[in-house]
Amino acid sequence: MISIPTRGLVLAALALLLIAASVRRPSWEDTDNDGRNTRQQILEWTCQVALGPRGGILEARCLDGYSGELIETKRVSEDIEIDHLYPWSVAAQRGAFADRKLAREAFYGDLDNLVVTSSKANAKKSDKMPGEWCPPSVLGRKSAAARIRRVVDRHGLPLLPAESAAVEAWEAGECGIPGQP
């Protein structure tokens, strides 16, 4: 039997998508006017980097914040990403940035919410919340649990009951998803 959503449910879903799409993500900015944007600064703070003559990062060596694995690359922009632990899209869908440009910018650049990770690990996480995904390493879980709690408190963001339960599991080093260690 196929379930057909009601017109009201479809309209509500479309409204949420339109709201999320209308909230633009700030770009990585050079907030301290030193010639390096937030992304580059995070990579410089957390990785060993080789800089080019114009200050761009030519290669990097860092630990993946989720898996704990070493990332070594000369293709920094393709292989290393800065991920929002509490996904931007989820925060927008839950109404976190309605009419609050400063709140968007503060969330986007919140260092507790930004994780250096491999493109591969970030693709697995995507925009998933705790309970839908968990960091593969115990250390990554414990770190992510502490960080996401600070982000939630700082920005007044909600965690659904299943998400809260998963964060509690992360604090104990467990995954929080049935069937996953």
Side-chain angles (χ1 to χ4, degrees), residues 66 83-88 90-92 94 96-97 100 103-115 125 129-130 143-159 167 170-171:
Y66 292 140
D83 183 47
H84 285 92
L85 178 59
Y86 192 111
W88 169 268
V90 174
R94 293 181 179 177
F97 312 127
R100 295 180 8 206
R104 287 194 307 268
E105 291 170 357
F107 177 85
Y108 198 78
D110 185 336
L111 297 179
D112 275 328
N113 199 34
L114 299 175
V115 179
K125 178 189 175 284
M129 288 291 287
S143 172
R147 293 172 78 171
I148 204 163
R149 287 207 186 276
R150 288 193 298 268
V151 169
V152 163
D153 289 344
R154 185 176 300 126
H155 299 284
L157 298 167
L159 280 178
V167 171
W170 292 2
E171 289 168 329

Side-chain angles (χ1 to χ4, degrees), residues 58-176:
L58 300 177
E59 58 186 272
R61 182 174 194 232
C62 14
L63 289 179
D64 186 301
Y66 292 140
S67 70
E69 294 176 0
L70 181 64
I71 308 168
E72 290 184 276
T73 185
K74 291 185 178 183
R75 301 177 327 148
V76 177
S77 61
E78 292 92 15
D79 295 338
I80 300 177
E81 296 183 12
I82 309 296
D83 183 47
H84 285 92
L85 178 59
Y86 192 111
W88 169 268
S89 62
V90 174
Q93 287 171 354
R94 293 181 179 177
F97 312 127
D99 298 323
R100 295 180 8 206
K101 183 180 183 216
L102 291 176
R104 287 194 307 268
E105 291 170 357
F107 177 85
Y108 198 78
D110 185 336
L111 297 179
D112 275 328
N113 199 34
L114 299 175
V115 179
V116 174
T117 187
S118 69
S119 298
K120 181 179 174 182
N122 194 27
K124 286 181 183 177
K125 178 189 175 284
S126 186
D127 287 343
K128 296 178 181 130
M129 288 291 287
E132 300 172 305
W133 164 90
C134 73
S137 75
V138 170
L139 185 59
R141 292 173 195 159
K142 290 183 176 189
S143 172
R147 293 172 78 171
I148 204 163
R149 287 207 186 276
R150 288 193 298 268
V151 169
V152 163
D153 289 344
R154 185 176 300 126
H155 299 284
L157 298 167
L159 280 178
L160 302 178
E163 295 163 353
S164 291
V167 171
E168 287 178 22
W170 292 2
E171 289 168 329
E174 299 167 2
C175 189

Side-chain angles (χ1 to χ4, degrees), residues 12-34:
L14 283 173
L16 280 175
L17 288 173
L18 288 172
I19 290 168
S22 69
V23 177
R24 293 182 168 227
R25 295 178 187 217
S27 61
W28 295 117
E29 296 180 4
D30 178 10
T31 56
D32 58 5
N33 298 314
D34 67 354

